[in-house]
mmCIF file of all heavy atoms in Angstrom:
data_model
loop_
_atom_site.group_PDB
_atom_site.id
_atom_site.type_symbol
_atom_site.label_atom_id
_atom_site.label_comp_id
_atom_site.label_asym_id
_atom_site.label_seq_id
_atom_site.Cartn_x
_atom_site.Cartn_y
_atom_site.Cartn_z
ATOM 1 N N THR B 1062 -150.704 -90.841 -215.755
ATOM 2 C CA THR B 1062 -149.847 -91.798 -215.073
ATOM 3 C C THR B 1062 -148.424 -91.257 -215.018
ATOM 4 O O THR B 1062 -147.975 -90.555 -215.926
ATOM 5 C CB THR B 1062 -149.832 -93.167 -215.773
ATOM 6 O OG1 THR B 1062 -149.324 -93.004 -217.103
ATOM 7 C CG2 THR B 1062 -151.214 -93.768 -215.825
ATOM 8 N N ILE B 1063 -147.745 -91.593 -213.936
ATOM 9 C CA ILE B 1063 -146.355 -91.189 -213.726
ATOM 10 C C ILE B 1063 -145.531 -92.459 -213.554
ATOM 11 O O ILE B 1063 -145.848 -93.298 -212.696
ATOM 12 C CB ILE B 1063 -146.214 -90.311 -212.467
ATOM 13 C CG1 ILE B 1063 -147.090 -89.062 -212.590
ATOM 14 C CG2 ILE B 1063 -144.750 -89.920 -212.260
ATOM 15 C CD1 ILE B 1063 -147.206 -88.281 -211.283
ATOM 16 N N SER B 1064 -144.505 -92.597 -214.354
ATOM 17 C CA SER B 1064 -143.661 -93.777 -214.254
ATOM 18 C C SER B 1064 -142.454 -93.521 -213.361
ATOM 19 O O SER B 1064 -142.002 -92.382 -213.200
ATOM 20 C CB SER B 1064 -143.174 -94.207 -215.642
ATOM 21 O OG SER B 1064 -142.427 -93.158 -216.232
ATOM 22 N N CYS B 1065 -141.947 -94.594 -212.794
ATOM 23 C CA CYS B 1065 -140.755 -94.559 -211.943
ATOM 24 C C CYS B 1065 -139.902 -95.750 -212.377
ATOM 25 O O CYS B 1065 -140.238 -96.896 -212.068
ATOM 26 C CB CYS B 1065 -141.165 -94.669 -210.481
ATOM 27 S SG CYS B 1065 -139.802 -94.768 -209.298
ATOM 28 N N THR B 1066 -138.861 -95.476 -213.123
ATOM 29 C CA THR B 1066 -138.057 -96.547 -213.709
ATOM 30 C C THR B 1066 -136.778 -96.765 -212.915
ATOM 31 O O THR B 1066 -135.998 -95.835 -212.719
ATOM 32 C CB THR B 1066 -137.717 -96.215 -215.167
ATOM 33 O OG1 THR B 1066 -138.925 -96.006 -215.902
ATOM 34 C CG2 THR B 1066 -136.928 -97.350 -215.801
ATOM 35 N N GLY B 1067 -136.595 -97.994 -212.475
ATOM 36 C CA GLY B 1067 -135.421 -98.330 -211.678
ATOM 37 C C GLY B 1067 -134.562 -99.383 -212.352
ATOM 38 O O GLY B 1067 -134.415 -99.385 -213.584
ATOM 39 N N SER B 1068 -134.010 -100.278 -211.542
ATOM 40 C CA SER B 1068 -133.104 -101.296 -212.069
ATOM 41 C C SER B 1068 -133.129 -102.544 -211.184
ATOM 42 O O SER B 1068 -133.940 -102.637 -210.254
ATOM 43 C CB SER B 1068 -131.683 -100.736 -212.133
ATOM 44 O OG SER B 1068 -131.197 -100.523 -210.817
ATOM 45 N N SER B 1069 -132.240 -103.464 -211.471
ATOM 46 C CA SER B 1069 -132.201 -104.730 -210.740
ATOM 47 C C SER B 1069 -131.680 -104.592 -209.313
ATOM 48 O O SER B 1069 -131.715 -105.549 -208.550
ATOM 49 C CB SER B 1069 -131.322 -105.731 -211.491
ATOM 50 O OG SER B 1069 -130.008 -105.205 -211.651
ATOM 51 N N SER B 1070 -131.198 -103.405 -208.945
ATOM 52 C CA SER B 1070 -130.717 -103.216 -207.579
ATOM 53 C C SER B 1070 -131.741 -102.498 -206.700
ATOM 54 O O SER B 1070 -131.507 -102.306 -205.513
ATOM 55 C CB SER B 1070 -129.402 -102.427 -207.565
ATOM 56 O OG SER B 1070 -129.588 -101.127 -208.083
ATOM 57 N N ASN B 1071 -132.863 -102.114 -207.257
ATOM 58 C CA ASN B 1071 -133.896 -101.452 -206.456
ATOM 59 C C ASN B 1071 -135.268 -102.061 -206.748
ATOM 60 O O ASN B 1071 -135.608 -103.105 -206.198
ATOM 61 C CB ASN B 1071 -133.875 -99.940 -206.642
ATOM 62 C CG ASN B 1071 -133.666 -99.502 -208.084
ATOM 63 O OD1 ASN B 1071 -134.540 -99.693 -208.921
ATOM 64 N ND2 ASN B 1071 -132.515 -98.919 -208.386
ATOM 65 N N ILE B 1072 -136.042 -101.460 -207.598
ATOM 66 C CA ILE B 1072 -137.397 -101.966 -207.858
ATOM 67 C C ILE B 1072 -137.347 -103.399 -208.380
ATOM 68 O O ILE B 1072 -138.137 -104.265 -207.968
ATOM 69 C CB ILE B 1072 -138.137 -101.043 -208.835
ATOM 70 C CG1 ILE B 1072 -138.256 -99.635 -208.247
ATOM 71 C CG2 ILE B 1072 -139.522 -101.606 -209.144
ATOM 72 C CD1 ILE B 1072 -138.870 -98.607 -209.198
ATOM 73 N N GLY B 1073 -136.441 -103.677 -209.301
ATOM 74 C CA GLY B 1073 -136.326 -105.002 -209.882
ATOM 75 C C GLY B 1073 -135.872 -106.063 -208.906
ATOM 76 O O GLY B 1073 -136.062 -107.258 -209.148
ATOM 77 N N ALA B 1074 -135.290 -105.648 -207.790
ATOM 78 C CA ALA B 1074 -134.841 -106.587 -206.766
ATOM 79 C C ALA B 1074 -135.965 -106.942 -205.796
ATOM 80 O O ALA B 1074 -135.760 -107.720 -204.872
ATOM 81 C CB ALA B 1074 -133.666 -105.996 -205.996
ATOM 82 N N GLY B 1075 -137.129 -106.327 -206.019
ATOM 83 C CA GLY B 1075 -138.280 -106.635 -205.187
ATOM 84 C C GLY B 1075 -138.558 -105.626 -204.087
ATOM 85 O O GLY B 1075 -139.492 -105.806 -203.304
ATOM 86 N N TYR B 1076 -137.753 -104.580 -204.026
ATOM 87 C CA TYR B 1076 -138.009 -103.572 -202.990
ATOM 88 C C TYR B 1076 -139.282 -102.795 -203.316
ATOM 89 O O TYR B 1076 -139.556 -102.461 -204.456
ATOM 90 C CB TYR B 1076 -136.817 -102.616 -202.871
ATOM 91 C CG TYR B 1076 -135.590 -103.298 -202.301
ATOM 92 C CD1 TYR B 1076 -134.491 -103.613 -203.108
ATOM 93 C CD2 TYR B 1076 -135.534 -103.651 -200.956
ATOM 94 C CE1 TYR B 1076 -133.384 -104.258 -202.596
ATOM 95 C CE2 TYR B 1076 -134.423 -104.292 -200.432
ATOM 96 C CZ TYR B 1076 -133.362 -104.598 -201.258
ATOM 97 O OH TYR B 1076 -132.259 -105.244 -200.740
ATOM 98 N N VAL B 1077 -140.027 -102.503 -202.279
ATOM 99 C CA VAL B 1077 -141.316 -101.844 -202.460
ATOM 100 C C VAL B 1077 -141.120 -100.381 -202.838
ATOM 101 O O VAL B 1077 -140.077 -99.773 -202.575
ATOM 102 C CB VAL B 1077 -142.188 -101.936 -201.190
ATOM 103 C CG1 VAL B 1077 -142.713 -103.341 -201.001
ATOM 104 C CG2 VAL B 1077 -141.428 -101.459 -199.969
ATOM 105 N N VAL B 1078 -142.161 -99.830 -203.481
ATOM 106 C CA VAL B 1078 -142.136 -98.453 -203.947
ATOM 107 C C VAL B 1078 -143.213 -97.649 -203.223
ATOM 108 O O VAL B 1078 -144.324 -98.146 -202.995
ATOM 109 C CB VAL B 1078 -142.378 -98.390 -205.467
ATOM 110 C CG1 VAL B 1078 -142.370 -96.933 -205.945
ATOM 111 C CG2 VAL B 1078 -141.296 -99.193 -206.202
ATOM 112 N N HIS B 1079 -142.867 -96.445 -202.867
ATOM 113 C CA HIS B 1079 -143.795 -95.549 -202.192
ATOM 114 C C HIS B 1079 -143.862 -94.253 -202.991
ATOM 115 O O HIS B 1079 -142.927 -93.912 -203.715
ATOM 116 C CB HIS B 1079 -143.325 -95.261 -200.757
ATOM 117 C CG HIS B 1079 -142.774 -96.469 -200.059
ATOM 118 N ND1 HIS B 1079 -143.551 -97.545 -199.690
ATOM 119 C CD2 HIS B 1079 -141.491 -96.767 -199.690
ATOM 120 C CE1 HIS B 1079 -142.779 -98.456 -199.108
ATOM 121 N NE2 HIS B 1079 -141.527 -98.003 -199.107
ATOM 122 N N TRP B 1080 -144.970 -93.534 -202.840
ATOM 123 C CA TRP B 1080 -145.159 -92.299 -203.601
ATOM 124 C C TRP B 1080 -145.555 -91.155 -202.675
ATOM 125 O O TRP B 1080 -146.309 -91.347 -201.715
ATOM 126 C CB TRP B 1080 -146.258 -92.489 -204.645
ATOM 127 C CG TRP B 1080 -145.898 -93.414 -205.759
ATOM 128 C CD1 TRP B 1080 -146.083 -94.765 -205.801
ATOM 129 C CD2 TRP B 1080 -145.297 -93.044 -207.015
ATOM 130 N NE1 TRP B 1080 -145.622 -95.272 -207.009
ATOM 131 C CE2 TRP B 1080 -145.150 -94.232 -207.767
ATOM 132 C CE3 TRP B 1080 -144.893 -91.840 -207.585
ATOM 133 C CZ2 TRP B 1080 -144.596 -94.239 -209.054
ATOM 134 C CZ3 TRP B 1080 -144.345 -91.843 -208.858
ATOM 135 C CH2 TRP B 1080 -144.205 -93.033 -209.581
ATOM 136 N N TYR B 1081 -145.068 -89.957 -203.014
ATOM 137 C CA TYR B 1081 -145.359 -88.763 -202.238
ATOM 138 C C TYR B 1081 -145.832 -87.651 -203.168
ATOM 139 O O TYR B 1081 -145.391 -87.546 -204.307
ATOM 140 C CB TYR B 1081 -144.101 -88.280 -201.492
ATOM 141 C CG TYR B 1081 -143.495 -89.322 -200.585
ATOM 142 C CD1 TYR B 1081 -142.562 -90.226 -201.075
ATOM 143 C CD2 TYR B 1081 -143.886 -89.442 -199.255
ATOM 144 C CE1 TYR B 1081 -142.013 -91.209 -200.265
ATOM 145 C CE2 TYR B 1081 -143.342 -90.428 -198.432
ATOM 146 C CZ TYR B 1081 -142.415 -91.309 -198.959
ATOM 147 O OH TYR B 1081 -141.886 -92.290 -198.141
ATOM 148 N N GLN B 1082 -146.712 -86.816 -202.627
ATOM 149 C CA GLN B 1082 -147.178 -85.622 -203.314
ATOM 150 C C GLN B 1082 -146.637 -84.402 -202.580
ATOM 151 O O GLN B 1082 -146.726 -84.336 -201.352
ATOM 152 C CB GLN B 1082 -148.712 -85.578 -203.305
ATOM 153 C CG GLN B 1082 -149.307 -84.325 -203.925
ATOM 154 C CD GLN B 1082 -150.785 -84.178 -203.573
ATOM 155 O OE1 GLN B 1082 -151.169 -84.145 -202.409
ATOM 156 N NE2 GLN B 1082 -151.621 -84.088 -204.598
ATOM 157 N N GLN B 1083 -146.087 -83.458 -203.324
ATOM 158 C CA GLN B 1083 -145.603 -82.225 -202.712
ATOM 159 C C GLN B 1083 -146.278 -81.042 -203.383
ATOM 160 O O GLN B 1083 -145.967 -80.688 -204.520
ATOM 161 C CB GLN B 1083 -144.081 -82.099 -202.810
ATOM 162 C CG GLN B 1083 -143.538 -80.895 -202.054
ATOM 163 C CD GLN B 1083 -142.017 -80.809 -202.057
ATOM 164 O OE1 GLN B 1083 -141.372 -81.227 -203.010
ATOM 165 N NE2 GLN B 1083 -141.452 -80.264 -200.985
ATOM 166 N N LEU B 1084 -147.218 -80.436 -202.666
ATOM 167 C CA LEU B 1084 -147.873 -79.235 -203.150
ATOM 168 C C LEU B 1084 -146.893 -78.073 -203.080
ATOM 169 O O LEU B 1084 -145.955 -78.098 -202.278
ATOM 170 C CB LEU B 1084 -149.110 -78.947 -202.316
ATOM 171 C CG LEU B 1084 -150.244 -79.990 -202.409
ATOM 172 C CD1 LEU B 1084 -151.292 -79.732 -201.345
ATOM 173 C CD2 LEU B 1084 -150.851 -80.007 -203.781
ATOM 174 N N PRO B 1085 -147.075 -77.054 -203.911
ATOM 175 C CA PRO B 1085 -146.131 -75.918 -203.927
ATOM 176 C C PRO B 1085 -145.931 -75.313 -202.542
ATOM 177 O O PRO B 1085 -146.893 -74.968 -201.851
ATOM 178 C CB PRO B 1085 -146.811 -74.933 -204.880
ATOM 179 C CG PRO B 1085 -147.636 -75.777 -205.789
ATOM 180 C CD PRO B 1085 -148.138 -76.902 -204.930
ATOM 181 N N GLY B 1086 -144.673 -75.202 -202.139
ATOM 182 C CA GLY B 1086 -144.339 -74.587 -200.866
ATOM 183 C C GLY B 1086 -144.665 -75.417 -199.637
ATOM 184 O O GLY B 1086 -144.575 -74.912 -198.509
ATOM 185 N N ARG B 1087 -145.025 -76.678 -199.832
ATOM 186 C CA ARG B 1087 -145.416 -77.526 -198.712
ATOM 187 C C ARG B 1087 -144.480 -78.718 -198.553
ATOM 188 O O ARG B 1087 -143.698 -79.042 -199.452
ATOM 189 C CB ARG B 1087 -146.856 -78.035 -198.928
ATOM 190 C CG ARG B 1087 -147.888 -76.945 -199.110
ATOM 191 C CD ARG B 1087 -148.130 -76.165 -197.837
ATOM 192 N NE ARG B 1087 -148.649 -76.992 -196.765
ATOM 193 C CZ ARG B 1087 -149.942 -77.253 -196.598
ATOM 194 N NH1 ARG B 1087 -150.841 -76.751 -197.421
ATOM 195 N NH2 ARG B 1087 -150.331 -78.012 -195.582
ATOM 196 N N ALA B 1088 -144.582 -79.364 -197.399
ATOM 197 C CA ALA B 1088 -143.833 -80.588 -197.178
ATOM 198 C C ALA B 1088 -144.469 -81.731 -197.973
ATOM 199 O O ALA B 1088 -145.676 -81.710 -198.242
ATOM 200 C CB ALA B 1088 -143.835 -80.946 -195.692
ATOM 201 N N PRO B 1089 -143.701 -82.724 -198.355
ATOM 202 C CA PRO B 1089 -144.279 -83.883 -199.042
ATOM 203 C C PRO B 1089 -145.298 -84.596 -198.157
ATOM 204 O O PRO B 1089 -145.252 -84.504 -196.931
ATOM 205 C CB PRO B 1089 -143.063 -84.781 -199.313
ATOM 206 C CG PRO B 1089 -141.902 -83.843 -199.327
ATOM 207 C CD PRO B 1089 -142.231 -82.814 -198.291
ATOM 208 N N LYS B 1090 -146.196 -85.311 -198.825
ATOM 209 C CA LYS B 1090 -147.233 -86.069 -198.129
ATOM 210 C C LYS B 1090 -147.273 -87.470 -198.724
ATOM 211 O O LYS B 1090 -147.202 -87.627 -199.950
ATOM 212 C CB LYS B 1090 -148.591 -85.384 -198.332
ATOM 213 C CG LYS B 1090 -149.804 -86.200 -197.921
ATOM 214 C CD LYS B 1090 -151.082 -85.555 -198.436
ATOM 215 C CE LYS B 1090 -152.267 -86.475 -198.352
ATOM 216 N NZ LYS B 1090 -153.488 -85.902 -198.963
ATOM 217 N N LEU B 1091 -147.350 -88.466 -197.863
ATOM 218 C CA LEU B 1091 -147.411 -89.851 -198.337
ATOM 219 C C LEU B 1091 -148.708 -90.096 -199.095
ATOM 220 O O LEU B 1091 -149.796 -89.808 -198.583
ATOM 221 C CB LEU B 1091 -147.306 -90.816 -197.153
ATOM 222 C CG LEU B 1091 -147.358 -92.304 -197.480
ATOM 223 C CD1 LEU B 1091 -146.119 -92.738 -198.267
ATOM 224 C CD2 LEU B 1091 -147.498 -93.120 -196.196
ATOM 225 N N LEU B 1092 -148.573 -90.676 -200.290
ATOM 226 C CA LEU B 1092 -149.724 -90.913 -201.149
ATOM 227 C C LEU B 1092 -150.001 -92.404 -201.321
ATOM 228 O O LEU B 1092 -151.148 -92.840 -201.321
ATOM 229 C CB LEU B 1092 -149.426 -90.292 -202.517
ATOM 230 C CG LEU B 1092 -150.540 -89.640 -203.315
ATOM 231 C CD1 LEU B 1092 -151.279 -88.589 -202.502
ATOM 232 C CD2 LEU B 1092 -149.960 -89.020 -204.582
ATOM 233 N N ILE B 1093 -148.940 -93.181 -201.500
ATOM 234 C CA ILE B 1093 -149.019 -94.628 -201.695
ATOM 235 C C ILE B 1093 -147.835 -95.267 -200.962
ATOM 236 O O ILE B 1093 -146.714 -94.772 -201.060
ATOM 237 C CB ILE B 1093 -148.939 -95.012 -203.188
ATOM 238 C CG1 ILE B 1093 -150.153 -94.526 -203.955
ATOM 239 C CG2 ILE B 1093 -148.753 -96.533 -203.361
ATOM 240 C CD1 ILE B 1093 -151.439 -95.306 -203.697
ATOM 241 N N TYR B 1094 -148.085 -96.362 -200.233
ATOM 242 C CA TYR B 1094 -146.995 -97.108 -199.622
ATOM 243 C C TYR B 1094 -147.108 -98.581 -200.000
ATOM 244 O O TYR B 1094 -148.188 -99.060 -200.341
ATOM 245 C CB TYR B 1094 -146.978 -96.931 -198.098
ATOM 246 C CG TYR B 1094 -148.168 -97.522 -197.375
ATOM 247 C CD1 TYR B 1094 -148.103 -98.799 -196.825
ATOM 248 C CD2 TYR B 1094 -149.355 -96.802 -197.238
ATOM 249 C CE1 TYR B 1094 -149.187 -99.352 -196.162
ATOM 250 C CE2 TYR B 1094 -150.442 -97.334 -196.582
ATOM 251 C CZ TYR B 1094 -150.356 -98.611 -196.042
ATOM 252 O OH TYR B 1094 -151.434 -99.141 -195.394
ATOM 253 N N GLY B 1095 -145.978 -99.256 -199.973
ATOM 254 C CA GLY B 1095 -145.984 -100.678 -200.311
ATOM 255 C C GLY B 1095 -146.517 -100.970 -201.700
ATOM 256 O O GLY B 1095 -147.305 -101.896 -201.876
ATOM 257 N N ASN B 1096 -146.111 -100.204 -202.655
ATOM 258 C CA ASN B 1096 -146.479 -100.346 -204.084
ATOM 259 C C ASN B 1096 -147.888 -99.859 -204.429
ATOM 260 O O ASN B 1096 -148.083 -99.206 -205.456
ATOM 261 C CB ASN B 1096 -146.354 -101.801 -204.558
ATOM 262 C CG ASN B 1096 -144.957 -102.355 -204.422
ATOM 263 O OD1 ASN B 1096 -143.978 -101.624 -204.567
ATOM 264 N ND2 ASN B 1096 -144.864 -103.648 -204.118
ATOM 265 N N SER B 1097 -148.873 -100.223 -203.593
ATOM 266 C CA SER B 1097 -150.251 -99.953 -204.017
ATOM 267 C C SER B 1097 -151.222 -99.641 -202.881
ATOM 268 O O SER B 1097 -152.434 -99.627 -203.108
ATOM 269 C CB SER B 1097 -150.780 -101.165 -204.801
ATOM 270 O OG SER B 1097 -150.739 -102.328 -203.987
ATOM 271 N N ASN B 1098 -150.727 -99.395 -201.706
ATOM 272 C CA ASN B 1098 -151.604 -99.158 -200.561
ATOM 273 C C ASN B 1098 -151.799 -97.662 -200.303
ATOM 274 O O ASN B 1098 -150.833 -96.895 -200.319
ATOM 275 C CB ASN B 1098 -151.023 -99.805 -199.303
ATOM 276 C CG ASN B 1098 -150.852 -101.299 -199.479
ATOM 277 O OD1 ASN B 1098 -151.811 -102.043 -199.564
ATOM 278 N ND2 ASN B 1098 -149.602 -101.746 -199.561
ATOM 279 N N ARG B 1099 -153.053 -97.282 -200.072
ATOM 280 C CA ARG B 1099 -153.354 -95.881 -199.803
ATOM 281 C C ARG B 1099 -153.518 -95.638 -198.301
ATOM 282 O O ARG B 1099 -154.279 -96.345 -197.647
ATOM 283 C CB ARG B 1099 -154.650 -95.466 -200.508
ATOM 284 C CG ARG B 1099 -154.527 -95.215 -201.989
ATOM 285 C CD ARG B 1099 -155.865 -94.690 -202.525
ATOM 286 N NE ARG B 1099 -156.960 -95.615 -202.225
ATOM 287 C CZ ARG B 1099 -157.279 -96.653 -202.965
ATOM 288 N NH1 ARG B 1099 -156.597 -96.910 -204.070
ATOM 289 N NH2 ARG B 1099 -158.285 -97.448 -202.631
ATOM 290 N N PRO B 1100 -152.820 -94.618 -197.769
ATOM 291 C CA PRO B 1100 -153.068 -94.247 -196.363
ATOM 292 C C PRO B 1100 -154.490 -93.709 -196.221
ATOM 293 O O PRO B 1100 -155.114 -93.282 -197.204
ATOM 294 C CB PRO B 1100 -152.042 -93.144 -196.097
ATOM 295 C CG PRO B 1100 -151.039 -93.249 -197.185
ATOM 296 C CD PRO B 1100 -151.764 -93.799 -198.367
#
Side-chain angles (χ1 to χ4, degrees):
Chain B
T1062 61
I1063 301 169
S1064 60
C1065 176
T1066 303
S1068 67
S1069 58
S1070 63
N1071 42 69
I1072 300 175
Y1076 291 107
V1077 287
V1078 179
H1079 320 292
W1080 291 89
Y1081 303 88
Q1082 176 194 57
Q1083 186 176 32
L1084 295 169
R1087 303 291 298 274
K1090 168 192 166 185
L1091 180 67
L1092 216 53
I1093 293 286
Y1094 66 95
N1096 300 327
S1097 59
N1098 301 291
R1099 283 185 304 275

